[in-house]
Amino acid sequence: MMKKKSISASKASLVFFLCQMISALDVPLDSKLLEELSQPPTITQQSPKDYIVDPRENIVIQCEAKGKPPPSFSWTRNGTHFDIDKDEQVTMKPNSGTLVINIMNGGKAEAYEGVYQCTARNERGAAISNNIVIRPSRSPLWTKEKLEPNQVREGDSLVLHCRPPVGLPPPIIFWMDNAFQRLPQSERVSQGLNGDLYFSNVQPEDTREDYICYARFNHTQTIQQKQPISVKVFSMDSLNDTIAANLSDTDIYGAKPVTERPPILLTPTGTTSNKVELRGNVLLLECIAAGLPTPVIRWIKEGGELPANRTFFENFKKTLKIIDVSEADSGNYKCIARNILGSTHHVISVTVKAAPYWITAPRNLVLSPGEDGTLICRANGNPKPSISWLANGVPIAIAPEDPSRKVDGDTIIFSAVQERSSAVYQCNASNEYGYLLANAFVNVLAEPPRILTPANKLYQVILDSPALIDCAYFGSPKPEIEWFKGVKGSILRGNEYVFHDNGTLEIPVAQKDSTGTYTCVARNELGKIQNEVQLEVKDPTMIIKQPEYKVIQRYGHVSFECIIKHDSTLIPTVIWLKDNDELPDDERFLVGKDNLTIMNVTDKDDGTYTCIVNTTLDSVSASAVLTVVARPNPPFDLELTGQLERSIELSWIPGDENNSPITSFVIEYEDGLHEPGVWHYQTEVPGSQTTVQLKLSPYVNYSFRVIAVNEIGRSQPSEPSEQYLTKSANPDENPSNVQGIGSEPDNLVITWESLKGFQSNGPGLQYKVSWRQKDVDDEWTSVVVANVSKYIVSGTPTFVPYEIKVQALNDLGYAPEPSEVIGHSGEDLPMVAPGNVQVHVINSTLAKVHWDPVPLKSVRGHLQGYKVYYWKVQSLSRRSKRHIEKKILTFRGNKTFGMLPGLEPYSSYKLNVRVVNGKGEGPASPDKVFKTPEGVPSSPSFLKITNPTLDSLTLEWGSPTHPNGVLISYILKFQPINNTHELGPLVEIRIPANESSLILKNLNYSTRYKFYFNAQTSVGSGSQITEEAVTIMDEGKMAMASRQVDIATQGWFIGLMCAVALLILILLIVCFIRRNKGGKYPVKEKEDAHADPEIQPMKEDDGTFGEYSDAEDHKPLKKGSRTPSDRTVKKEDSDDSLVDYGEGVNGQFNEDGSFIGQYSGKKEKEPAEGNESSEAPSPVNAMNSFV
């Protein structure tokens, strides 16, 4: 059960009070401070002035207030004190002034009707509420009444009155039938503002017995129903039938038919009326007219315009509605009702009055002792309201005196206030249409300075942006604020700082050196206080690579980059938006660290994508547009117009271009008569064109379709147009590519390319084929054939020219006369061989052949050219026969000579010539024999060197594979090679051609020689082959080495030999390294420049021979090379190098002590065999190399 006594309010928020306060002293919205400061009461919540309550429920009259100390509450009723303790049905909520009147437990709402006012009071003043008028809602029943049926003639007007009972508040009226369905309304039938139902003219369908008016009372949630009203409409036809049935034929009488009537106003009546409305309300003006036809209503304002944006027409323009009216809306409003028979009008004079409204409402004042202030209360209205003041709920005239207060009409002036001057003042502005009541307190406070900003608060700002450092303070009188930077810094002054009245320090452009500690000092006459805060300046966040505009094809992939740079102490978050909204919830959107990727792009992905980077201090963004392009959508709505026999106009509507402009339209057609289902290209038009005039062919059942083309590709074809069948006609053209070529010597095959189906121009396509022999006075022979493409004429002479023509015809007639072509009957083999064949030998490998042309008649066909058959009979240097291989050269056209290349020297050849036509070759001419002269021979087939001794070598060779003439001699050249690979003097020997070996004597022992060998004919020397060989070591020296062993037991000799052996070992190692570094002679460059040993110069300075040269291989000591075991050097294998000797044992001596195989070695020999050099690494070999 609620306590009847008022309980002190708890500590309540002062936000509402502070938001309204304007004064010389601002109180910050700090909860701790507000709890400590004294404050007069302020009404925060109250019930409306006109409070209609539900009589079935408890009545709750609200009154909430705040203050320090918490206020107490009291009430008046009808101007006298309302003692709630004496009424058991009335309680006051705890910590509140809200009253609860218990109606549900026996109380009656009517007993509590009246005017209530609440007062909230504490030691600093009293605030009062508005006068709250309590009235219970009422929903009375309809009074009993007898309703007569309404019998109305068709076309007359009718008003069905509702007359609902008077309720509080007034009910909402609507008309329904027995089935609870709203009655339809129109320009002819509508409900007025008073609830009546108006018929401008009745019709037979208006006859019914259930016109029911309903009144809905919203407060009590009840609906009251009027008794049904019956309406019966008599039509003129039925009335005339009734009269005619009761009268004789001689009576002349009849009801008049429905007559049309000009408009008359059903409401309002008369020509003028008055209307008063209050400022800010909704103005409703109504005009409902009768007449037949149904009149139309129009509204005007005399001498002005209807206000724009605030004017609305309702109820089929019968009601003019102007919202939020003001004094400017006063004036004369005319409604005009008009039909075809005339018009009528009514003028409503509107006067807008105004209940009081605020111009300047009084605001709370917070003052320091000794300060001045004013309370201003200004209101307006029509008529102008009167202003009255109250102090703590008491008229100021009888309130306690205050020497600091002076009332001057709508203003109270305060001078040198003291703490006892605190009070709550009420301003009342009233006229005949209402009143305004406002509470405003004057609170006089004396407080030392307080700084409300937390100590050591950290402020962080972005470089080059403003820095606002707070110093929220309070004190009474108002403290002075000073700022310092650093612990012992001086006071801040100058243009680089802005000092706000609320204590805030502003640094307009913060720099890195702005970072530091700032001290705020607040002082007034009652004290001083200071506070330190910290400022940090951070680097700005930047997007160093922004997303870029992208154009992507549908179903492609696209990526937007957003690469950022930020302060290392800030943590950025990246958000992507599409069209300023969140990204679609779609797995195709992949958000990476610094990019956004969209997979399988669709049309709906088109838009603007924004990358937003947020930190706790700043935010940057960058946007890019994605345009999704695709092939255009197919055109539609194809239409054929302007149909003619040979042309038609086609039009279409383009489909969506999908962000890529349409560049052209391709028109295709289908011939449903000849090639159903096959579409052919017709024409192409620019993309800006949507109609085209098409040329047509006769006897074609056309359908058309259109394909749109843009840069991405071609659209799907449109739906086919309707079909259009053109009339038949004679063919316009004849077959093309007419030819006459015989397939046999006695026929002529005439061929042509048949006309396509649409080219036939009509049914029954055939061809008339005509031919006659050319240059013979002969008639045309003709035959008509079916729709084929070939006709064979038999029994013709061989290869005779014919004039040929092929003409198309159909059931309607012939095509134009065709042009003639020349053809020939079939060819036969030529009859005559070319004569007078002559051969002129140019050189040993080339000859020229001549012949006389054959007579053209003997060709018996198209001359294609001549063929020369030639073959080698035998080589003149050898009598051996070999397989004859014939060669053929073809010379096109009527040529009478030709060149025969690639002949072999010193050989005997035969040839013959034949003429060629389309049928084949004619007879051959008699064989013609010719011989080629000698040439230089090829190199000898091999050269091998055997039986080396101290001073001799044996050479053996094979004759050239191709002597190319009679060999007259062999030329042998050789020269020594010393240990430094330098070449000695060159010696030349000429050897008879019949020799195949030679023993060279008087050579130096243990010496390497290089040999050059070639053959000669009378024409000159052939190519040479080279070889190298070495004579063996002197046996006397070997014996000397053997005798040295006898003294090997001598101690001194053993030591000497050890030293020699060590020296030899060192030299071997050096030699081994040199050999491994390269297998070329040190004179390699000169070898390349001087391949012929005969032209190698001697050194002029010291008389030594020129350096050794190898013109072919250039690698004389290449390791791992392979030669035949008999040291034979064949032509095709010769490298002129010692590395190509046979596969002998590496580094061994033969039986007579000669050195063999020093420069030989097998390819791919295993490293374990020690073949790491072209010379064996033995002491003997090393000694030989130094001889």
Side-chain angles (χ1 to χ4, degrees):
M1 192 70 180
M2 294 185 183
K3 295 182 180 179
K4 293 185 178 180
K5 296 295 180 179
S6 172
I7 301 176
S8 298
S10 63
K11 297 178 181 179
S13 171
L14 299 180
V15 172
F16 183 78
F17 140 61
L18 292 169
C19 288
Q20 292 188 349
M21 179 180 60
I22 58 169
S23 65
L25 187 65
D26 292 330
V27 180
L29 299 179
D30 182 88
S31 58
K32 183 177 179 181
L33 173 65
L34 296 177
E35 288 178 359
E36 298 174 357
L37 296 179
S38 297
Q39 175 196 336
T42 300
I43 301 294
T44 59
Q45 191 172 1
Q46 56 184 314
S47 294
K49 295 177 180 178
D50 190 6
Y51 188 16
I52 299 175
V53 299
D54 189 336
R56 299 166 299 179
E57 297 180 353
N58 293 340
I59 301 173
V60 179
I61 309 175
Q62 290 185 327
C63 180
E64 303 291 343
K66 63 182 179 180
K68 181 69 177 180
S72 60
F73 296 90
S74 61
W75 285 87
T76 63
R77 177 183 176 190
N78 297 328
T80 62
H81 177 68
F82 182 36
D83 192 350
I84 62 175
D85 293 335
K86 294 181 179 180
D87 192 334
E88 294 182 352
Q89 304 298 328
V90 181
T91 58
M92 186 182 294
K93 289 185 177 181
N95 304 320
S96 169
T98 298
L99 295 181
V100 178
I101 302 174
N102 196 335
I103 301 299
M104 301 178 68
N105 286 338
K108 291 186 177 181
E110 292 78 3
Y112 292 95
E113 288 191 59
V115 180
Y116 292 79
Q117 190 173 41
C118 171
T119 300
R121 186 185 308 275
N122 69 8
E123 61 188 30
R124 290 207 164 233
I128 61 175
S129 70
N130 292 323
N131 289 327
I132 303 171
V133 179
I134 302 296
R135 293 185 296 170
S137 65
R138 298 179 178 86
S139 54
L141 300 176
W142 248 288
T143 58
K144 296 286 186 179
E145 58 179 328
K146 185 177 181 180
L147 301 177
E148 297 293 334
N150 291 277
Q151 297 186 359
V152 192
R153 187 175 62 176
E154 180 183 358
D156 288 352
S157 62
L158 174 65
V159 179
L160 300 182
H161 298 286
C162 181
R163 298 189 183 97
V166 178
L168 185 68
I172 298 172
I173 306 301
F174 52 94
W175 288 81
M176 302 179 73
D177 58 15
N178 277 333
F180 297 101
Q181 299 297 317
R182 284 186 180 269
L183 296 175
Q185 298 190 21
S186 63
E187 289 184 345
R188 186 177 65 84
V189 182
S190 61
Q191 177 182 316
L193 294 176
N194 62 357
D196 293 346
L197 191 62
Y198 292 86
F199 294 79
S200 295
N201 53 79
V202 295
Q203 302 295 329
E205 61 266 23
D206 296 329
T207 298
R208 62 190 308 155
E209 297 181 351
D210 57 351
Y211 286 93
I212 304 173
C213 181
Y214 288 86
R216 184 174 68 217
F217 298 91
N218 283 343
H219 260 70
T220 58
Q221 297 182 351
T222 58
I223 297 177
Q224 304 292 348
Q225 172 185 338
K226 186 182 179 74
Q227 289 184 336
I229 301 174
S230 175
V231 174
K232 186 173 183 181
V233 179
F234 293 97
S235 67
M236 292 300 100
D237 293 339
S238 63
L239 187 58
N240 285 336
D241 291 343
T242 302
I243 294 173
N246 296 320
L247 296 176
S248 64
D249 294 340
T250 59
D251 293 331
I252 303 175
Y253 181 82
K256 295 181 180 179
V258 176
T259 58
E260 296 179 337
R261 293 177 287 106
I264 60 171
L265 287 174
L266 297 177
T267 184
T269 58
T271 58
T272 62
S273 60
N274 297 312
K275 173 78 171 181
V276 176
E277 191 58 79
L278 292 181
R279 178 180 182 271
N281 288 353
V282 176
L283 173 64
L284 294 173
L285 305 179
E286 179 180 58
C287 276
I288 301 177
L292 186 68
T294 302
V296 176
I297 304 298
R298 185 169 67 90
W299 292 89
I300 62 172
K301 182 181 182 182
E302 294 182 345
E305 299 290 334
L306 295 175
N309 303 324
R310 295 189 293 116
T311 301
F312 304 92
F313 298 100
E314 296 179 345
N315 198 19
F316 309 99
K317 293 192 175 181
K318 299 174 186 179
T319 301
L320 172 65
K321 177 180 178 181
I322 301 177
I323 63 174
D324 192 22
V325 294
S326 65
E327 289 86 342
D329 294 323
S330 297
N332 294 330
Y333 292 82
K334 180 187 286 188
C335 70
I336 303 170
R338 185 185 303 275
N339 68 7
I340 59 176
L341 299 181
S343 64
T344 187
H345 69 272
H346 184 91
V347 177
I348 304 172
S349 179
V350 175
T351 302
V352 178
K353 298 290 186 178
Y357 57 90
W358 291 117
I359 295 176
T360 304
R363 307 292 296 273
N364 297 330
L365 278 176
V366 179
L367 300 174
S368 301
E371 285 188 332
D372 303 334
T374 58
L375 288 178
I376 300 174
C377 178
R378 290 175 184 163
N380 201 0
N382 187 9
K384 187 173 181 62
S386 61
I387 303 294
S388 62
W389 287 96
L390 296 88
N392 295 326
V394 178
I396 201 165
I398 60 175
E401 288 288 335
D402 183 353
S404 66
R405 177 183 69 208
K406 180 183 178 181
V407 178
D408 184 8
D410 59 6
T411 304
I412 300 178
I413 302 172
F414 297 93
S415 303
V417 297
Q418 301 301 317
E419 285 196 60
R420 64 178 180 273
S421 301
S422 296
V424 181
Y425 292 86
Q426 291 81 35
C427 173
N428 185 302
S430 60
N431 66 11
E432 60 187 281
Y433 297 107
Y435 74 94
L436 293 172
L437 178 68
N439 290 277
F441 64 69
V442 175
N443 195 15
V444 181
L445 298 173
E447 296 287 339
R450 307 184 192 192
I451 294 180
L452 308 178
T453 300
N456 294 314
K457 183 176 180 180
L458 175 62
Y459 291 88
Q460 295 178 326
V461 298
I462 294 297
L463 182 70
D464 294 330
S465 64
L468 296 173
I469 308 174
D470 292 334
C471 182
Y473 67 92
F474 178 73
S476 182
K478 183 179 179 181
E480 294 181 358
I481 302 298
E482 293 177 333
W483 280 96
F484 300 85
K485 183 179 180 185
V487 179
K488 298 181 180 180
S490 58
I491 188 170
L492 298 181
R493 304 182 189 280
N495 296 331
E496 55 184 307
Y497 301 102
V498 178
F499 303 95
H500 293 271
D501 290 341
N502 64 356
T504 298
L505 170 66
E506 178 181 352
I507 305 174
V509 182
Q511 301 297 317
K512 284 292 187 179
D513 58 4
S514 302
T515 300
T517 301
Y518 290 81
T519 302
C520 166
V521 178
R523 60 167 59 90
N524 67 7
E525 60 190 34
L526 300 178
K528 168 186 172 183
I529 193 170
Q530 70 179 36
N531 186 42
E532 291 183 353
V533 295
Q534 306 296 323
L535 175 64
E536 292 181 356
V537 180
K538 305 290 186 180
D539 290 327
T541 303
M542 295 183 294
I543 300 178
I544 59 177
K545 185 160 187 181
Q546 300 184 355
E548 298 177 347
Y549 172 73
K550 295 292 179 80
V551 177
I552 190 69
Q553 291 190 31
R554 187 187 295 162
Y555 309 125
H557 304 333
V558 67
S559 182
F560 291 105
E561 286 189 297
C562 185
I563 300 176
I564 64 174
K565 179 182 179 183
H566 60 91
D567 192 284
S568 60
T569 62
L570 300 177
I571 300 176
T573 57
V574 179
I575 301 173
W576 286 91
L577 301 180
K578 178 183 183 294
D579 297 330
N580 294 323
D581 203 352
E582 292 183 359
L583 290 178
D585 185 12
D586 193 328
E587 61 183 9
R588 298 181 301 109
F589 288 78
L590 306 176
V591 178
K593 178 183 177 183
D594 51 15
N595 66 344
L596 167 66
T597 302
I598 308 174
M599 312 294 291
N600 299 321
V601 172
T602 63
D603 292 339
K604 65 181 181 180
D605 299 330
D606 198 275
T608 301
Y609 289 83
T610 304
C611 166
I612 302 177
V613 184
N614 293 317
T615 68
T616 55
L617 299 182
D618 62 350
S619 176
V620 292
S621 65
S623 299
V625 174
L626 173 63
T627 300
V628 180
V629 296
R631 297 184 300 171
N633 291 350
F636 57 94
D637 282 356
L638 273 65
E639 183 179 4
L640 297 176
T641 56
Q643 290 89 341
L644 300 174
E645 289 188 3
R646 293 296 183 100
S647 69
I648 197 169
E649 186 176 89
L650 172 66
S651 61
W652 61 90
I653 297 177
D656 192 341
E657 63 183 18
N658 292 325
N659 295 322
S660 180
I662 295 175
T663 57
S664 62
F665 293 99
V666 177
I667 292 87
E668 297 180 340
Y669 71 91
E670 175 196 30
D671 182 1
L673 193 62
H674 303 98
E675 293 181 290
V678 180
W679 290 90
H680 301 277
Y681 172 85
Q682 172 89 6
T683 189
E684 187 169 354
V685 298
S688 58
Q689 189 172 327
T690 57
T691 60
V692 63
Q693 194 77 20
L694 301 174
K695 293 182 180 180
L696 306 180
S697 297
Y699 194 53
V700 176
N701 192 13
Y702 282 100
S703 288
F704 299 98
R705 69 183 187 185
V706 183
I707 299 171
V709 182
N710 64 11
E711 289 186 357
I712 311 305
R714 296 162 62 103
S715 72
Q716 293 294 320
S718 67
E719 292 295 324
S721 69
E722 59 182 307
Q723 291 187 329
Y724 178 60
L725 178 62
T726 54
K727 295 181 180 180
S728 302
N730 293 8
D732 291 328
E733 52 190 307
N734 288 301
S736 60
N737 197 22
V738 178
Q739 293 181 340
I741 302 174
S743 61
E744 297 294 338
D746 60 349
N747 73 5
L748 172 65
V749 179
I750 303 173
T751 59
W752 61 90
E753 288 187 8
S754 301
L755 298 181
K756 296 182 179 178
F758 72 91
Q759 294 175 311
S760 65
N761 287 5
L765 177 64
Q766 294 179 302
Y767 300 101
K768 179 182 178 182
V769 184
S770 303
W771 68 91
R772 68 181 178 184
Q773 190 172 337
K774 191 174 182 298
D775 300 329
V776 176
D777 190 10
D778 200 356
E779 295 295 330
W780 287 94
T781 302
S782 300
V783 62
V784 176
V785 298
N787 187 10
V788 294
S789 59
K790 182 172 70 173
Y791 182 76
I792 301 176
V793 180
S794 302
T796 63
T798 300
F799 196 66
V800 173
Y802 279 86
E803 294 176 325
I804 303 168
K805 58 184 179 179
V806 180
Q807 186 177 24
L809 67 150
N810 62 18
D811 291 350
L812 279 76
Y814 285 87
E817 184 67 21
S819 57
E820 300 172 7
V821 299
I822 303 299
H824 287 80
S825 58
E827 297 180 72
D828 205 346
L829 294 176
M831 301 173 59
V832 178
N836 193 22
V837 178
Q838 300 292 330
V839 179
H840 172 61
V841 177
I842 296 175
N843 57 38
S844 61
T845 60
L846 180 66
K848 184 176 182 180
V849 58
H850 293 261
W851 63 87
D852 290 341
V854 299
L856 288 179
K857 288 187 178 181
S858 69
V859 176
R860 298 200 295 179
H862 295 285
L863 176 63
Q864 293 187 354
Y866 293 87
K867 285 187 178 181
V868 176
Y869 286 74
Y870 65 101
W871 61 96
K872 179 180 176 182
V873 178
Q874 66 178 16
S875 174
L876 298 179
S877 60
R878 298 179 182 177
R879 299 304 175 186
S880 60
K881 297 267 187 173
R882 68 173 186 173
H883 175 69
I884 297 176
E885 179 185 353
K886 289 188 177 181
K887 298 181 181 179
I888 305 172
L889 288 178
T890 301
F891 300 94
R892 298 290 179 184
N894 196 20
K895 205 170 182 183
T896 59
F897 67 91
M899 305 298 290
L900 304 181
L903 302 177
E904 293 186 15
Y906 204 54
S907 300
S908 175
Y909 281 87
K910 286 185 179 181
L911 66 79
N912 59 51
V913 184
R914 310 177 192 192
V915 66
V916 182
N917 66 11
K919 190 71 173 178
E921 301 175 3
S925 66
D927 290 346
K928 185 72 173 180
V929 178
F930 67 96
K931 298 177 182 179
T932 56
E934 288 186 85
V936 295
S938 63
S939 62
S941 58
F942 67 89
L943 172 64
K944 60 182 179 180
I945 303 172
T946 61
N947 301 324
T949 65
L950 283 174
D951 60 354
S952 68
L953 292 171
T954 301
L955 280 68
E956 297 178 359
W957 60 86
S959 60
T961 305
H962 301 285
N964 295 336
V966 178
L967 294 180
I968 59 175
S969 65
Y970 292 101
I971 302 298
L972 174 64
K973 300 175 185 179
F974 63 95
Q975 58 189 148
I977 305 173
N978 65 13
N979 292 333
T980 58
H981 308 293
E982 293 179 344
L983 299 175
L986 186 66
V987 179
E988 180 176 326
I989 300 175
R990 185 175 298 272
I991 304 171
N994 57 352
E995 297 290 339
S996 61
S997 64
L998 175 67
I999 297 175
L1000 282 180
K1001 299 181 179 181
N1002 300 320
L1003 300 178
N1004 296 326
Y1005 67 90
S1006 188
T1007 300
R1008 184 184 306 131
Y1009 288 91
K1010 185 164 186 178
F1011 300 91
Y1012 310 90
F1013 193 70
N1014 61 291
Q1016 276 189 331
T1017 63
S1018 59
V1019 176
S1021 299
S1023 57
Q1024 65 183 13
I1025 61 175
T1026 63
E1027 182 56 278
E1028 293 182 6
V1030 181
T1031 57
I1032 67 173
M1033 184 181 289
D1034 186 357
E1035 292 181 357
K1037 291 205 171 190
M1038 294 293 293
M1040 184 186 301
S1042 176
R1043 287 194 300 270
Q1044 290 175 350
V1045 175
D1046 295 337
I1047 61 174
T1049 57
Q1050 301 294 325
W1052 63 269
F1053 185 74
I1054 293 175
L1056 178 62
M1057 287 298 100
C1058 288
V1060 172
L1062 179 60
L1063 179 60
I1064 292 174
L1065 179 60
I1066 293 173
L1067 291 176
L1068 279 174
I1069 293 173
V1070 172
C1071 182
F1072 182 77
I1073 293 173
R1074 284 188 61 204
R1075 301 270 179 195
N1076 278 346
K1077 283 186 177 180
K1080 294 183 180 181
Y1081 291 110
V1083 292
K1084 180 69 177 78
E1085 293 79 5
K1086 291 189 178 182
E1087 289 177 2
D1088 293 338
H1090 306 288
D1092 191 343
E1094 294 181 346
I1095 61 174
Q1096 294 204 16
M1098 295 178 63
K1099 294 185 180 179
E1100 297 179 356
D1101 53 352
D1102 56 4
T1104 58
F1105 289 106
E1107 293 180 342
Y1108 167 73
S1109 172
D1110 184 346
E1112 294 186 11
D1113 185 71
H1114 309 306
K1115 298 180 180 179
L1117 295 177
K1118 181 178 178 181
K1119 78 172 183 177
S1121 58
R1122 180 189 298 269
T1123 59
S1125 58
D1126 59 357
R1127 302 182 186 170
T1128 301
V1129 181
K1130 296 187 178 180
K1131 170 193 169 189
E1132 58 271 20
D1133 296 327
S1134 175
D1135 287 335
D1136 293 344
S1137 173
L1138 292 177
V1139 299
D1140 290 330
Y1141 275 95
E1143 300 178 355
V1145 179
N1146 190 26
Q1148 301 294 324
F1149 289 91
N1150 62 9
E1151 292 179 353
D1152 61 357
S1154 63
F1155 179 78
I1156 61 173
Q1158 183 177 346
Y1159 300 101
S1160 68
K1162 295 183 180 179
K1163 288 185 179 178
E1164 303 176 2
K1165 200 158 189 179
E1166 295 297 331
E1169 297 179 12
N1171 189 18
E1172 296 297 328
S1173 173
S1174 60
E1175 294 188 8
S1178 66
V1180 175
N1181 290 341
M1183 292 176 67
N1184 287 337
S1185 65
F1186 292 118
V1187 175

